[in-house]
Amino acid sequence: MPRPRIPAGELGAVQVTQLSDGRFRARARLRDDAGELRQLRATADTESDAVAELRQLAAQLTSNGAGALTGSSTIAEAADAWLIQATARAEAGGLAHSTLESYESTVRLILKPVCGAITLDQLTVGRADRIIQGIIRNGSLSKGRKARAALGLICGFAVRDDAMPRNPVRDVQRLPMPEKNSSVLTPEQVAGVRDLMRRWRATIGPGPRPNFRALIDGMDIMLGTSARVGECIGLRRRDVDMTTSPPTLLVDGTIVSTKKQGLHRKNAPKRARQRRRIALPAMAAAAVRSRLPSPLLVRMRSCSPRRRGDR
């Protein structure tokens, strides 16, 4: 009967023999990830040390080698391994650096202090739920939502690394959405803000005078388009078309600041699906025209960092 085939990545039966000098030699066959059969040997002073050295050598030759997660790995270790992968994605352009920095902060400030020492095989659905509820109770709903998202991604990474059979965070109870308080400025309040901006220029001390006109125009554009501050500052000349009726404005970028990249324009809104072209009401159209150095071109000169290629 033929000998059973050793699966890829697994070590066959270990044979230990004692040498003439009293030391022990452990031998076994290993089929690596490429499917090649290898004969491994390890020698040590004791039988257990020889076997341990042989298994360590086998681990280095397969995907279960150094750096791979197991059920005994802690959440902190899994988080560190996951962040290495997330950093590689950010370097390749598949993840925003601002998102990566948010993940790093969540791991360092929230997850590691609260549950970093828990091993992956001890992280049940109930325990994960209690961890997140404790973060909400002792911190805030916002911290709880960030912790739930990051812990779910870490566990998903551990599942793909064969360290967990399933992701327990998926079955954790859904967290409530924070209440959104909406308010509408009255025409009198808008006029009051404009007046405050004008008087700020008149009352400021020595030094360069603030460009209150740019602030007013930016406020009018945001009021007329519901654009975020970063989206308004990130507007370029080519994003505006004043030849149509009504004029239109394309929102397809925003200004962000990260530790690695500094202050820069991201060529997408906060979420890529939020790219949109907006018809400008009269107030916003007038503000855009006041920012036009020439027809069809716009730049919020006083608000956005100047970058080559923005024209």
Side-chain angles (χ1 to χ4, degrees):
M1 183 175 180
R3 182 181 299 178
R5 179 182 175 87
I6 300 173
E10 291 192 11
L11 191 67
V14 178
Q15 298 178 345
V16 180
T17 57
Q18 189 172 15
L19 304 178
S20 58
D21 60 0
R23 305 182 73 198
F24 291 86
R25 174 183 293 163
R27 295 184 301 170
R29 295 188 305 163
L30 169 77
R31 193 173 299 278
D32 60 21
D33 291 337
E36 296 293 333
L37 198 61
R38 295 170 177 262
Q39 185 74 36
L40 304 183
R41 295 181 178 85
T43 304
D45 293 334
T46 65
E47 181 177 349
S48 59
D49 287 345
V51 173
E53 187 175 339
L54 181 74
R55 295 191 182 279
Q56 184 178 5
L57 179 60
Q60 294 173 355
L61 297 174
T62 67
S63 57
N64 296 321
L69 298 176
T70 65
S72 60
S73 300
T74 63
I75 292 177
E77 292 170 342
D80 290 338
W82 168 67
L83 285 174
I84 292 174
Q85 186 184 75
T87 301
R89 286 181 55 204
E91 295 293 341
L95 181 69
H97 282 278
S98 56
T99 303
L100 174 63
E101 291 179 4
S102 176
Y103 288 156
E104 290 173 340
S105 298
T106 300
V107 168
R108 185 179 71 257
L109 301 177
I110 302 176
L111 289 180
K112 282 187 176 181
V114 172
C115 59
I118 296 176
T119 59
L120 297 177
D121 55 9
Q122 294 175 339
L123 188 63
T124 61
V125 174
R127 176 163 286 161
D129 189 74
R130 290 190 293 273
I131 289 170
I132 294 170
Q133 293 302 320
I135 292 172
I136 295 174
R137 185 171 54 254
N138 299 321
S140 65
L141 177 60
S142 175
K143 288 184 178 180
R145 293 180 67 85
K146 291 180 179 179
R148 187 185 191 279
L151 187 59
L153 292 171
I154 292 168
C155 289
F157 173 78
V159 170
R160 295 190 298 274
D161 208 32
D162 296 326
M164 303 179 76
R166 64 188 182 94
N167 188 341
V169 182
R170 288 186 174 181
D171 294 324
V172 169
Q173 62 179 310
R174 291 183 177 274
L175 301 183
M177 293 293 294
E179 295 184 5
K180 295 183 179 180
N181 299 320
S182 58
S183 60
V184 180
L185 294 176
T186 65
E188 293 76 16
Q189 289 173 324
V190 173
V193 173
R194 287 196 184 98
D195 183 60
L196 288 173
M197 290 177 177
R198 293 189 186 96
R199 285 192 283 130
W200 177 48
R201 178 180 175 87
T203 58
I204 198 169
R209 297 291 181 181
N211 187 348
F212 76 95
R213 188 68 253 174
L215 295 176
I216 293 175
D217 290 340
M219 179 182 69
D220 289 347
I221 292 172
M222 287 187 287
L223 288 174
T225 62
S226 296
R228 300 180 177 90
V229 175
E231 293 172 343
C232 179
I233 297 175
L235 291 175
R236 301 165 300 183
R237 298 173 180 177
R238 64 172 181 249
D239 296 332
V240 175
D241 187 354
M242 304 301 289
T243 63
T244 60
S245 182
T248 60
L249 180 150
L250 176 65
V251 178
D252 73 340
T254 186
I255 299 298
V256 296
S257 178
T258 62
K259 295 177 182 177
K260 184 174 182 63
Q261 296 175 310
L263 187 68
H264 66 285
R265 187 182 190 277
K266 175 187 172 185
N267 293 323
K270 185 176 181 180
R271 294 178 177 86
R273 65 176 182 271
Q274 294 176 340
R275 284 189 174 93
R276 59 206 184 273
R277 183 170 289 279
I278 303 170
L280 294 176
M283 178 180 66
V288 169
R289 288 190 182 95
S290 72
R291 308 307 307 167
L292 292 173
S294 61
L296 310 182
L297 303 177
V298 64
R299 174 187 288 276
M300 300 296 292
R301 291 183 181 276
S302 303
C303 300
S304 66
R306 186 159 187 162
R307 291 167 58 90
R308 183 176 298 175
D310 280 355
R311 291 181 177 271

